[in-house]
Each structure stands twice: as structure tokens, then as C-alpha cells.
Amino acid sequence: VIYLFYISYSFLISDPRFKITNISFHGHHALTEKQLLDWLGPVQGKNLFKYDLAKATESLAKHPWILSASVERKFPREIQVELTERVPYARVKFNKIFLMDNFGALLSEETPEYKDLPLIVQSNKGTKLENFSGDKVIQSLKTMHYFNKLSFFENNPMDITELKGDSRIIFFTRNRDLKIQMSMDALKEGFRKFMIVLDTLEGENMKIQMIDLSFKDQVVVRDRI
């Protein structure tokens, strides 16, 4: 029995009929098959049963654009890869502009098709790319989304967010004629205060230059004049 197992195993790992001739990818949109193959390394010509599926899956999962990956054998000569890509959610400006997903992970340098995504500006020039953590800005982007759903911003939505140190954030409208400053630690409270004064600002917004919601128990409004 042991000998039969040994002969069968030797046959499976040495017979040329089990050499991989095709690798198929499913679920990719932003990445091309060439980019995936370059990242994965040589596959074709390797034995189907000796090919390390776990290592291939781990390698793909390390790609900045890939959220999850699954690699399977497909008898007799194919490897099949199922992917879930990360989706760009915003752009982050350092010395260059990078794409970021909704988990705060940086993906790659921006490309023209994503030029309309919200832009996050790092005002602290000392912030290094490898030390960036997008966790704290995700809630800020969601707050921007809530602002833009209001009729007040219907014709002039927010599209730029600037991080000021570790505690404050500034939103800019598309026409650059209004900015709103908030505390990173009290975004919900700041949004609530804005809703309270919204009726006062309606009809007067063209005269307003800045609204500061970062102070406790008060709102500061700066007129353009």
C-alpha cells in the first residue's frame, strides 16, 4: 500500500500532463493580469500538485490593492485565483498624491480616473508615508459625506480636507469660498452644532468665509469682510 502511494505521488508530481499551462484571475478590476502575474511570480510550467497555494495566497494578500485572495487548483493544468480588490475612497497628498481605501489603507499613486475623489491634505510636512494611519481620517471623510448631503452644500459641495496637526481638520468647498473647521475628537458634536445654526446661515452663506466648530459650546463664524 505504501509503495502504491509512493508510485502515485511520484506520478502526480513528475508527469508533464500536470504542468500548469494556465492561470485565471477573477474579481480584479483596477489591476491587470500582467500586474498580478508580475507580483505573483512564475507559475506556468510548475507542477499543479507541488505548487504552494498557501504561499501564493499570502503573496497576493500583501498587494496594496488586494483586500482578500483565494488560490485553487483546477484539474488538470490550471490555477484559479479569486480576488477582492480594495476600492479607492479618497486621495491623500504627501509629496505626491496617493489613493486610499475606506479602511485607511494607501493603495498607490493616484491615476486620472480617480481625480474626482475627495482630497486629504497633510499640512504637517513631517508626516512620512510609511507612518501614515488613515484610521482617524475615515470618520472625517464620512462627516464630509454627511455635510454634502445637506441642501446647503448642494451646489458647492466639500471636496478637500486638510489635517491640522493631530487635533483639527478643515473642510473646503469646491469653490474655495467657505471652510469649516472641526475637532477630530468631536466630529459628531461639531456636526450637531452646525445643524443648529444652519437656519441662520441659510441665505447668508455667500457672506461667510469660515465656520469654526472646534470650540466647546460655541460656534465661531467669520465674515468675508
Side-chain angles (χ1 to χ4, degrees):
V1 172
I2 295 174
Y3 178 74
L4 288 175
F5 272 114
Y6 173 76
I7 292 297
S8 300
Y9 175 75
S10 298
F11 171 74
L12 292 175
I13 66 173
S14 60
D15 194 285
R17 285 175 290 184
F18 299 117
K19 284 186 176 181
I20 299 172
T21 59
N22 184 43
I23 177 168
S24 60
F25 295 96
H26 304 277
H28 62 295
H29 304 285
L31 297 173
T32 65
E33 289 193 4
K34 183 181 183 305
Q35 289 173 318
L36 291 166
L37 286 170
D38 289 344
W39 182 271
L40 196 56
V43 178
Q44 292 188 353
K46 293 190 175 184
N47 180 268
L48 182 70
F49 297 98
K50 290 180 68 176
Y51 187 70
D52 194 333
L53 300 182
K55 185 177 179 180
T57 302
E58 183 180 355
S59 177
L60 287 169
K62 291 179 180 179
H63 194 288
W65 273 86
I66 295 178
L67 181 63
S68 64
S70 174
V71 184
E72 298 179 349
R73 297 182 181 91
K74 194 169 183 181
F75 189 82
R77 294 186 172 190
E78 184 179 347
I79 291 294
Q80 192 172 76
V81 180
E82 294 286 343
L83 300 170
T84 301
E85 286 185 339
R86 296 183 182 272
V87 178
Y89 187 69
R91 299 172 296 148
V92 185
K93 184 177 182 181
F94 296 90
N95 57 329
K96 296 181 180 179
I97 298 178
F98 292 82
L99 297 173
M100 183 186 75
D101 78 344
N102 61 337
F103 294 99
L106 295 179
L107 308 181
S108 64
E109 292 185 26
E110 73 163 340
T111 51
E113 59 265 37
Y114 299 110
K115 62 181 177 62
D116 294 326
L117 289 177
L119 178 65
I120 302 166
V121 178
Q122 289 280 344
S123 59
N124 183 3
K125 303 300 182 182
T127 302
K128 295 182 179 180
L129 182 63
E130 58 270 20
N131 295 331
F132 174 76
S133 174
D135 295 341
K136 66 179 182 179
V137 302
I138 294 299
Q139 289 301 320
S140 303
L141 289 169
K142 290 181 178 179
T143 301
M144 177 194 286
H145 174 71
Y146 297 145
F147 274 126
N148 286 336
K149 292 179 70 175
L150 300 174
S151 59
F152 183 82
F153 297 101
E154 183 177 0
N155 298 318
N156 189 22
M158 297 177 177
D159 64 352
I160 291 183
T161 300
E162 182 178 352
L163 304 180
K164 300 287 287 186
D166 295 326
S167 59
R168 294 199 177 191
I169 187 166
I170 303 175
F171 300 105
F172 295 85
T173 55
R174 183 173 58 198
N175 294 340
R176 307 293 178 260
D177 54 357
L178 174 65
K179 61 182 179 180
I180 296 180
Q181 182 167 270
M182 303 179 73
S183 169
M184 291 286 291
D185 300 322
L187 293 174
K188 290 183 178 180
E189 175 65 17
F191 188 80
R192 185 187 66 81
K193 287 189 290 188
F194 179 80
M195 294 301 295
I196 291 176
V197 300
L198 185 58
D199 289 339
T200 304
L201 296 176
E202 290 286 5
E204 301 293 331
N205 57 310
M206 294 304 294
K207 299 179 182 179
I208 302 301
Q209 181 186 48
M210 186 270 290
I211 303 171
D212 194 337
L213 304 168
S214 62
F215 295 101
K216 185 176 181 180
D217 298 328
Q218 64 177 322
V219 176
V220 178
V221 179
R222 179 182 298 167
D223 190 280
R224 290 180 189 168
I225 300 174

